[in-house]
Amino acid sequence: MARTALVTGGTRGIGAAISQALKAEGYSVAATYAGNDQAAAVFTEETGIKAYKWNVADYADSKAGISQVETDLGPIDIVVANAGITRDAPFHKMTPEQWTEVVDTNLTGVFNTVHPIWPGMRQRKFGRVIVISSINGQKGQFAQVNYAATKAGDLGIVKSLAHEGARAGITANAICPGYIATEMVMAVPEKVRDSIISQIPTGRLGEPEEIARCVVFLASEDSGFINGSTISANGAQFFA
Ligand code: NDP
């Protein structure tokens, strides 16, 4: 029977490409989202991948949602913690609310997503935990103290889970995308986008499918010895 994969934030942007790539590999896929019902409905119609709505920042919601996915599709063997947000502001203008919202979603959200799935993975002696971090968690970024802190924290989660899961056949790895052509990046003024591109030696933004390719690789049965690692996919913009 096909293994089941859960992709948080799997209905749009990078997550949507990940969901589709995993489905193409033969996994049963569940994609989650936070509130954009319309985008989720279009995604499901176009891909046939079922979408589930819950807030990754809420532990009880996550636990209940995960339980529903497992009832519908079977035990989750691959979890991709991809949902993430930005609330940018220079540090002197950053509000406690901007800090908390990003920490709750990007960092605690990873705990809330992986923690309810972890005991089942330990029991079944197989699991793939893949966390979508960011280049800005590796190098820091102006106006992103909150975001960079969470994305660096995600790397700490992955490295620690790798230690804990290794003997139970579970791997935990991170992917640090550079700038990817999602709605978020395409929405910035062309001038700003051009200046971003000028800092990428490859001379272009990355494509969501290029991140999905890394996920498929890490999710594979054959990737069992790759554990606690970080794949940087950033067009040579930064070497961690
Ligand atoms: P998008 O904004 O395009 O999509 C985000 C997805 O996450 C949506 O499905 C959204 O749901 C969901 N989401 C957001 N908050 C929550 C929440 N609280 N609970 C559940 N789901 C939530 O993001 P990207 O595709 O651009 O980014 C995906 C990941 O990649 C993020 O973690 C981001 O930090 C990381 N990343 C992105 C880069 C880029 O250049 N785009 C670069 C480096 C890292 P809904 O549709 O309902 O809003």
Coordinates of all heavy atoms in Angstrom, one line a residue, residues 8-16 18 32-37 39-40 52-58 62 81-87 101 104-106 109 131-136 147 150-151 154 175-185 205-206 208 211 233, ligand 1:
T8 N 2.1 20.4 5.2 CA 1.4 21.5 5.8 C 1.6 22.7 4.8 O 2.7 22.8 4.2 CB 1.8 21.9 7.2 OG1 3.2 22.3 7.2 CG2 1.6 20.7 8.1
G9 N 0.6 23.6 4.7 CA 0.7 24.6 3.7 C 0.9 24.1 2.3 O 1.6 24.6 1.5
G10 N 0.2 22.9 2.1 CA 0.5 22.2 0.8 C -0.4 22.5 -0.3 O -0.4 21.9 -1.3
T11 N -1.2 23.6 -0.2 CA -2.2 23.9 -1.2 C -1.7 25.1 -2.1 O -2.3 25.4 -3.1 CB -3.5 24.4 -0.6 OG1 -3.3 25.5 0.3 CG2 -4.2 23.2 0.1
R12 N -0.7 25.8 -1.7 CA -0.2 27.0 -2.4 C 1.3 27.0 -2.5 O 2.0 26.3 -1.6 CB -0.6 28.3 -1.8 CG -2.1 28.6 -2.0 CD -2.4 30.0 -1.8 NE -2.2 30.5 -0.4 CZ -1.4 31.5 -0.1 NH1 -0.6 32.1 -1.0 NH2 -1.3 31.9 1.2
G13 N 1.9 27.7 -3.4 CA 3.3 28.0 -3.5 C 4.2 26.7 -3.5 O 3.9 25.7 -4.2
I14 N 5.3 26.8 -2.7 CA 6.2 25.6 -2.6 C 5.5 24.4 -2.2 O 5.7 23.3 -2.7 CB 7.4 26.0 -1.7 CG1 8.2 27.1 -2.2 CG2 8.2 24.8 -1.4 CD1 9.2 27.7 -1.3
G15 N 4.6 24.5 -1.2 CA 3.9 23.3 -0.6 C 3.1 22.6 -1.7 O 3.0 21.4 -1.7
A16 N 2.4 23.4 -2.6 CA 1.6 22.8 -3.6 C 2.5 22.0 -4.6 O 2.1 20.9 -5.0 CB 0.8 23.9 -4.4
I18 N 5.2 20.6 -3.7 CA 5.7 19.4 -3.0 C 4.6 18.3 -3.0 O 4.8 17.1 -3.2 CB 6.1 19.8 -1.5 CG1 7.3 20.7 -1.5 CG2 6.3 18.5 -0.7 CD1 7.6 21.3 -0.2
T32 N -2.5 20.6 3.8 CA -3.2 21.4 4.7 C -3.1 22.9 4.3 O -2.2 23.3 3.5 CB -2.8 21.3 6.1 OG1 -1.6 22.1 6.4 CG2 -2.5 19.8 6.5
Y33 N -4.0 23.7 4.8 CA -3.9 25.2 4.6 C -4.6 25.8 5.8 O -5.2 25.2 6.7 CB -4.6 25.6 3.3 CG -6.1 25.4 3.3 CD1 -7.0 26.5 3.4 CD2 -6.7 24.1 3.2 CE1 -8.3 26.3 3.4 CE2 -8.1 24.0 3.2 CZ -8.9 25.1 3.3 OH -10.2 24.9 3.3
A34 N -4.4 27.2 5.9 CA -4.9 27.9 7.0 C -6.3 28.6 6.9 O -7.1 28.5 7.8 CB -3.9 29.0 7.4
G35 N -6.5 29.2 5.7 CA -7.8 29.9 5.6 C -8.2 30.3 4.2 O -9.3 30.7 4.0
N36 N -7.3 30.1 3.2 CA -7.6 30.5 1.8 C -8.4 29.3 1.2 O -7.9 28.5 0.5 CB -6.3 30.8 1.1 CG -6.6 31.4 -0.3 OD1 -7.7 31.2 -0.9 ND2 -5.7 32.2 -0.8
D37 N -9.7 29.3 1.5 CA -10.6 28.2 1.0 C -10.6 28.1 -0.5 O -10.6 27.0 -1.1 CB -12.0 28.4 1.5 CG -12.1 28.3 3.0 OD1 -11.4 27.4 3.6 OD2 -12.8 29.1 3.6
A39 N -8.3 29.0 -2.8 CA -7.1 28.4 -3.4 C -7.1 26.9 -3.1 O -6.7 26.2 -4.0 CB -5.9 29.1 -2.8
A40 N -7.5 26.5 -1.9 CA -7.5 25.1 -1.6 C -8.5 24.3 -2.5 O -8.2 23.2 -2.9 CB -7.9 24.9 -0.1
Y52 N -7.0 19.8 3.8 CA -7.5 19.9 5.2 C -7.2 21.2 5.8 O -6.1 21.7 5.6 CB -6.9 18.8 6.1 CG -7.2 17.4 5.6 CD1 -6.6 16.8 4.6 CD2 -8.2 16.6 6.3 CE1 -6.9 15.5 4.2 CE2 -8.5 15.3 5.9 CZ -7.8 14.8 4.8 OH -8.1 13.5 4.5
K53 N -8.1 21.8 6.5 CA -7.9 23.2 7.1 C -7.7 23.1 8.6 O -8.6 22.7 9.3 CB -9.1 24.0 6.7 CG -9.1 25.4 7.2 CD -10.2 26.2 6.5 CE -10.8 27.3 7.3 NZ -11.8 28.0 6.6
W54 N -6.5 23.5 9.0 CA -6.3 23.8 10.4 C -5.1 24.7 10.6 O -4.3 24.9 9.7 CB -6.1 22.5 11.2 CG -4.8 21.7 11.1 CD1 -3.6 22.1 11.6 CD2 -4.7 20.5 10.4 NE1 -2.7 21.1 11.3 CE2 -3.3 20.1 10.5 CE3 -5.5 19.7 9.7 CZ2 -2.8 19.0 10.0 CZ3 -5.0 18.5 9.1 CH2 -3.6 18.1 9.3
N55 N -5.0 25.3 11.8 CA -4.0 26.3 12.1 C -2.8 25.5 12.7 O -2.9 25.0 13.8 CB -4.5 27.3 13.0 CG -3.5 28.4 13.4 OD1 -2.4 28.4 12.9 ND2 -3.9 29.2 14.3
V56 N -1.6 25.5 12.1 CA -0.5 24.8 12.6 C 0.0 25.4 13.9 O 0.7 24.7 14.7 CB 0.7 24.7 11.6 CG1 0.3 23.9 10.4 CG2 1.3 26.0 11.3
A57 N -0.4 26.6 14.2 CA 0.0 27.2 15.5 C -0.8 26.7 16.7 O -0.4 27.0 17.8 CB -0.2 28.7 15.4
D58 N -1.8 25.9 16.4 CA -2.6 25.4 17.5 C -2.4 23.9 17.6 O -2.7 23.1 16.7 CB -4.1 25.7 17.2 CG -5.1 25.4 18.3 OD1 -5.1 24.2 18.7 OD2 -5.7 26.3 18.8
S62 N -4.1 20.8 15.4 CA -3.2 20.0 14.6 C -3.4 18.5 14.9 O -3.5 17.7 14.0 CB -1.7 20.4 14.9 OG -1.5 21.7 14.6
A81 N 6.8 19.7 7.0 CA 6.4 20.9 7.7 C 6.8 22.1 6.9 O 8.0 22.5 7.0 CB 7.1 20.9 9.1
N82 N 5.9 22.6 6.1 CA 6.2 23.6 5.1 C 5.5 24.9 5.4 O 6.0 26.0 5.1 CB 5.8 23.1 3.7 CG 5.7 24.2 2.7 OD1 6.7 24.7 2.2 ND2 4.4 24.6 2.4
A83 N 4.4 24.9 6.1 CA 3.6 26.1 6.4 C 4.5 27.1 7.0 O 5.2 26.8 8.0 CB 2.4 25.8 7.2
G84 N 4.4 28.4 6.5 CA 5.3 29.4 7.1 C 4.8 30.8 6.7 O 4.1 30.9 5.7
I85 N 5.1 31.8 7.5 CA 4.6 33.1 7.2 C 5.8 34.1 7.5 O 6.8 33.8 8.1 CB 3.4 33.6 8.1 CG1 3.8 33.5 9.6 CG2 2.2 32.8 7.7 CD1 2.8 34.2 10.5
T86 N 5.7 35.3 6.9 CA 6.6 36.4 7.2 C 5.7 37.6 7.8 O 4.6 37.8 7.4 CB 7.3 36.9 6.0 OG1 6.4 37.2 5.0 CG2 8.3 35.9 5.5
R87 N 6.3 38.3 8.8 CA 5.8 39.5 9.3 C 6.9 40.5 9.5 O 7.4 40.7 10.6 CB 5.0 39.3 10.6 CG 3.8 38.4 10.5 CD 2.6 39.1 9.8 NE 1.4 38.2 9.8 CZ 1.1 37.3 8.8 NH1 1.9 37.2 7.7 NH2 0.1 36.6 8.9
E101 N 3.5 35.9 16.3 CA 2.8 35.2 15.2 C 3.7 34.4 14.4 O 3.4 33.2 14.0 CB 2.1 36.3 14.3 CG 0.9 35.8 13.6 CD 0.2 36.8 12.7 OE1 0.4 38.0 13.0 OE2 -0.5 36.4 11.8
D104 N 4.9 31.4 16.5 CA 3.9 30.4 16.7 C 3.6 29.5 15.5 O 3.4 28.3 15.5 CB 2.5 31.1 17.1 CG 2.5 31.6 18.5 OD1 3.5 31.3 19.2 OD2 1.6 32.3 18.9
T105 N 3.8 30.2 14.3 CA 3.5 29.4 13.0 C 4.7 28.7 12.6 O 4.7 27.5 12.3 CB 3.1 30.4 11.9 OG1 2.0 31.2 12.4 CG2 2.7 29.7 10.6
N106 N 5.9 29.3 12.5 CA 7.1 28.7 11.8 C 7.9 27.8 12.7 O 8.6 26.9 12.2 CB 8.0 29.8 11.3 CG 7.4 30.7 10.3 OD1 6.2 30.6 10.0 ND2 8.2 31.7 9.8
G109 N 4.7 25.7 15.2 CA 4.0 25.0 14.2 C 4.6 23.7 13.8 O 4.0 22.7 13.5
V131 N 11.6 19.4 7.1 CA 11.2 20.8 7.5 C 11.7 21.8 6.4 O 12.8 21.7 6.1 CB 11.7 21.1 8.9 CG1 11.2 22.5 9.3 CG2 11.2 20.1 9.9
I132 N 10.8 22.6 6.0 CA 11.2 23.7 5.0 C 11.6 24.9 5.8 O 10.8 25.6 6.4 CB 10.0 24.0 4.0 CG1 9.5 22.8 3.4 CG2 10.6 25.0 3.0 CD1 10.5 21.9 2.6
S133 N 12.9 25.1 5.9 CA 13.5 26.2 6.6 C 13.7 27.4 5.6 O 12.8 27.6 4.7 CB 14.8 25.8 7.3 OG 15.5 26.9 7.9
S134 N 14.8 28.0 5.6 CA 15.0 29.1 4.7 C 16.5 29.6 4.7 O 17.2 29.5 5.7 CB 14.2 30.3 5.1 OG 14.6 31.5 4.4
I135 N 16.9 30.1 3.6 CA 18.3 30.7 3.5 C 18.4 31.8 4.6 O 19.5 31.9 5.1 CB 18.5 31.3 2.0 CG1 19.9 31.9 1.9 CG2 17.5 32.4 1.8 CD1 20.2 32.4 0.5
N136 N 17.3 32.4 4.9 CA 17.4 33.5 5.9 C 17.6 33.0 7.3 O 17.9 33.8 8.2 CB 16.3 34.5 5.7 CG 16.4 35.3 4.4 OD1 17.5 35.3 3.8 ND2 15.4 35.9 3.9
Y147 N 11.5 36.0 11.7 CA 11.5 34.9 10.7 C 12.8 34.1 10.7 O 12.8 32.9 10.8 CB 11.3 35.5 9.3 CG 11.2 34.5 8.1 CD1 10.0 33.9 7.9 CD2 12.3 34.3 7.3 CE1 9.9 33.0 6.8 CE2 12.2 33.4 6.3 CZ 11.0 32.7 6.0 OH 10.9 31.9 4.9
T150 N 13.1 31.8 13.7 CA 12.3 30.6 13.6 C 12.9 29.6 12.6 O 12.9 28.4 12.9 CB 10.9 30.9 13.2 OG1 10.8 31.5 11.9 CG2 10.1 31.8 14.1
K151 N 13.5 30.1 11.5 CA 14.0 29.2 10.5 C 15.3 28.6 11.0 O 15.6 27.5 10.7 CB 14.2 30.0 9.2 CG 12.8 30.4 8.6 CD 12.0 29.2 8.3 CE 10.7 29.5 7.6 NZ 9.9 28.3 7.3
D154 N 14.3 25.9 13.4 CA 13.8 24.7 12.7 C 15.0 23.8 12.4 O 14.8 22.5 12.5 CB 13.2 25.1 11.3 CG 11.8 25.7 11.5 OD1 11.2 25.6 12.6 OD2 11.3 26.4 10.6
I175 N 15.3 21.6 4.5 CA 15.6 22.2 3.2 C 15.6 23.7 3.4 O 14.7 24.2 4.0 CB 14.6 21.8 2.1 CG1 14.7 20.2 1.9 CG2 14.9 22.5 0.8 CD1 13.5 19.7 1.1
C176 N 16.7 24.3 2.9 CA 16.7 25.8 3.0 C 16.6 26.4 1.6 O 17.6 26.5 0.9 CB 18.0 26.3 3.7 SG 18.0 26.0 5.4
P177 N 15.4 26.7 1.2 CA 15.3 27.4 -0.1 C 15.9 28.8 -0.1 O 15.8 29.5 0.9 CB 13.8 27.4 -0.4 CG 13.1 26.5 0.7 CD 14.1 26.6 1.8
G178 N 16.4 29.2 -1.2 CA 16.7 30.6 -1.5 C 15.4 31.2 -1.9 O 14.3 30.8 -1.6
Y179 N 15.5 32.3 -2.8 CA 14.3 33.0 -3.2 C 13.6 32.2 -4.3 O 14.2 31.9 -5.4 CB 14.7 34.4 -3.7 CG 15.0 35.3 -2.5 CD1 16.2 35.3 -1.9 CD2 13.9 36.0 -1.8 CE1 16.5 36.1 -0.8 CE2 14.2 36.7 -0.7 CZ 15.4 36.8 -0.2 OH 15.7 37.5 1.0
I180 N 12.4 31.8 -4.1 CA 11.6 31.0 -5.0 C 10.4 31.8 -5.6 O 9.8 32.6 -4.8 CB 11.1 29.7 -4.2 CG1 12.2 29.0 -3.5 CG2 10.3 28.8 -5.2 CD1 13.3 28.5 -4.3
A181 N 10.1 31.6 -6.8 CA 9.1 32.3 -7.5 C 7.7 31.9 -7.1 O 7.0 31.3 -7.8 CB 9.3 32.2 -9.0
T182 N 7.3 32.2 -5.8 CA 6.0 32.0 -5.4 C 5.2 33.3 -5.4 O 5.9 34.4 -5.6 CB 5.9 31.4 -4.0 OG1 6.5 32.3 -3.1 CG2 6.7 30.1 -3.9
E183 N 3.9 33.3 -5.1 CA 3.1 34.5 -5.1 C 3.8 35.5 -4.2 O 3.8 36.7 -4.5 CB 1.7 34.2 -4.5 CG 0.8 33.7 -5.5 CD -0.5 33.2 -4.9 OE1 -1.0 33.8 -4.0 OE2 -1.0 32.1 -5.4
M184 N 4.3 35.1 -3.0 CA 4.9 36.0 -2.0 C 6.1 36.8 -2.7 O 6.1 38.0 -2.5 CB 5.5 35.1 -0.9 CG 5.9 35.9 0.3 SD 6.4 34.7 1.6 CE 8.1 34.3 1.2
V185 N 6.9 36.1 -3.4 CA 8.1 36.8 -4.0 C 7.7 37.6 -5.2 O 8.1 38.7 -5.5 CB 9.2 35.8 -4.3 CG1 10.3 36.5 -5.1 CG2 9.7 35.2 -3.0
L205 N 15.3 33.4 -10.1 CA 14.6 32.8 -8.9 C 14.6 31.3 -9.0 O 14.6 30.8 -10.2 CB 13.2 33.4 -8.7 CG 13.1 34.9 -8.5 CD1 11.6 35.3 -8.6 CD2 13.6 35.3 -7.1
G206 N 14.4 30.6 -7.9 CA 14.2 29.2 -8.0 C 12.7 28.9 -8.3 O 11.9 29.8 -8.2
P208 N 9.3 26.4 -7.5 CA 8.8 25.6 -6.4 C 9.1 24.1 -6.7 O 9.4 23.3 -5.7 CB 7.3 25.8 -6.4 CG 7.1 27.2 -7.0 CD 8.3 27.4 -8.0
I211 N 12.4 22.8 -5.2 CA 12.3 22.4 -3.8 C 11.6 21.1 -3.6 O 12.0 20.2 -2.8 CB 11.6 23.5 -3.0 CG1 12.3 24.9 -3.2 CG2 11.6 23.2 -1.5 CD1 13.8 24.9 -3.0
A233 N 19.1 25.0 -1.3 CA 18.8 25.1 -2.7 C 18.5 26.6 -3.0 O 17.4 27.1 -2.9 CB 17.5 24.3 -3.0
Ligands
NDP1 P1 2.9 30.7 0.5 O1 2.6 32.0 1.3 O2 2.8 30.7 -1.0 O3 2.0 29.5 1.1 C1 1.9 29.3 2.4 C2 1.1 28.1 2.7 O4 1.1 27.9 4.2 C3 -0.4 28.3 2.4 O5 -1.0 27.1 2.0 C4 -1.0 28.8 3.7 O6 -2.4 28.5 3.8 C5 -0.2 27.9 4.7 N1 -0.2 28.5 6.0 C6 0.3 29.7 6.4 N2 0.1 29.9 7.8 C7 -0.5 28.7 8.2 C8 -1.0 28.3 9.5 N3 -0.9 29.0 10.6 N4 -1.6 27.1 9.5 C9 -1.7 26.3 8.4 N5 -1.2 26.6 7.2 C10 -0.7 27.8 7.1 O7 4.4 30.3 1.0 P2 5.6 29.8 0.2 O8 5.2 28.7 -0.7 O9 6.3 31.0 -0.4 O10 6.6 29.2 1.4 C11 6.4 27.9 1.9 C12 7.5 27.7 2.9 O11 8.8 27.9 2.3 C13 7.4 28.6 4.1 O12 7.8 27.9 5.3 C14 8.5 29.7 3.8 O13 9.0 30.3 4.9 C15 9.5 28.8 3.1 N6 10.4 29.6 2.2 C16 9.9 30.3 1.1 C17 10.7 31.0 0.3 C18 10.2 31.7 -0.9 O14 11.1 32.3 -1.6 N7 9.0 31.7 -1.3 C19 12.2 31.1 0.5 C20 12.6 30.3 1.7 C21 11.7 29.6 2.5 P3 -3.5 29.5 3.1 O15 -3.4 29.2 1.6 O16 -4.8 29.2 3.7 O17 -3.0 30.9 3.4

